[in-house]
Amino acid sequence: MKKLLALAFIVSFAFGNAQVSAFQKADSKYERKKASLYNKYPKPNDLRTKLEWLLTEDKITSYKNALEKISEDDKKALANDPPVKTKLTKEAEYEAGKAAFQKLLYGAVDLDFLNYASDSYKATLNFVVDSKGNALDAQAKGNNEDVNAFIEAAFYRIKEKGKWKPAESNGKPVSSTVSVPLILTFKK
């Protein structure tokens, strides 16, 4: 039994790292190609701007592909432990508090490379905390699909940096949906 638990832990740890490494791989590729582009075109011009936008599009696509794979895996996990529809007696809680979770999330959202038209972005991050305290199935809702993808990626980057206590219904741990409002500010 101990060997089985150890194997399950190793597999889940490796899977979690694979999720994050897909984002790191996309980031690394983007930075490497951007540096090469800036070496080739040291001064801003229309061609460099166009090529940089294509690199940005490639990074966004890589993130969305990774999120699609993660979503499929999360949905499989939730099939056995779906969020309850009944009234909760206790909401799911982040061990260090919701404000600490938001701070971690804000720190992990990397949007500096996007040339976003506004100074701020409002979104809501919804995810499930299952009956074992695992945070799964992140879905950001805001008016820009690309920004939402990077919010969801940030969620997966930080999800192992703290523990969630599952919600309770009549004293029993249950899966539930958690909603976190976000206001991101862009550096200009």
Side-chain angles (χ1 to χ4, degrees):
M1 182 68 176
K2 284 184 181 179
K3 287 182 181 181
L4 187 60
L5 285 173
L7 179 62
F9 174 76
I10 290 168
V11 168
S12 69
F13 180 76
F15 176 70
N17 281 346
Q19 291 174 345
V20 172
S21 72
F23 303 125
Q24 290 169 336
K25 190 174 173 182
D27 292 343
S28 176
K29 181 180 174 184
Y30 171 81
E31 292 302 328
R32 199 173 53 253
K33 287 186 172 189
K34 183 179 169 187
S36 175
L37 180 65
Y38 277 46
N39 283 338
K40 188 171 184 177
Y41 303 103
K43 293 187 178 178
N45 62 45
D46 288 345
L47 181 59
R48 184 176 99 172
T49 301
K50 181 181 178 183
L51 293 172
E52 190 172 357
W53 176 247
L54 291 174
L55 290 178
T56 300
E57 285 291 313
D58 190 38
K59 180 176 178 175
I60 291 167
T61 299
S62 295
Y63 267 60
K64 287 181 179 178
N65 289 341
L67 287 167
E68 208 170 285
K69 170 89 174 88
I70 292 167
S71 178
E72 289 172 18
D73 294 334
D74 281 359
K75 297 250 187 275
K76 287 177 190 172
L78 289 173
N80 298 323
D81 192 8
V84 296
K85 304 286 187 217
T86 58
K87 183 128 173 93
L88 301 173
T89 52
K90 187 176 176 188
E91 298 284 328
E93 297 175 356
Y94 188 66
E95 67 182 352
K98 205 172 208 176
F101 176 76
Q102 284 177 305
K103 185 177 180 181
L104 267 177
L105 189 64
Y106 285 136
V109 177
D110 176 19
L111 300 171
D112 291 342
F113 70 96
L114 282 177
N115 190 7
Y116 195 67
S118 177
D119 289 341
S120 65
Y121 183 78
K122 290 182 182 182
T124 302
L125 178 66
N126 297 308
F127 57 95
V128 174
V129 174
D130 72 9
S131 62
K132 295 174 188 73
N134 300 307
L136 306 161
D137 198 29
Q139 296 179 11
K141 303 287 184 221
N143 63 7
N144 185 296
E145 184 180 316
D146 296 341
V147 176
N148 293 342
F150 283 88
I151 292 169
E152 292 169 15
F155 168 85
Y156 287 103
R157 287 180 192 265
I158 68 162
K159 81 176 218 169
E160 301 301 323
K161 292 186 178 184
K163 300 279 185 212
W164 282 90
K165 295 176 191 165
E168 292 181 7
S169 180
N170 299 321
K172 292 183 76 173
V174 293
S175 290
S176 67
T177 302
V178 175
S179 238
V180 179
L182 302 169
I183 300 175
L184 301 168
T185 53
F186 292 90
K187 296 175 187 167
K188 294 286 181 184

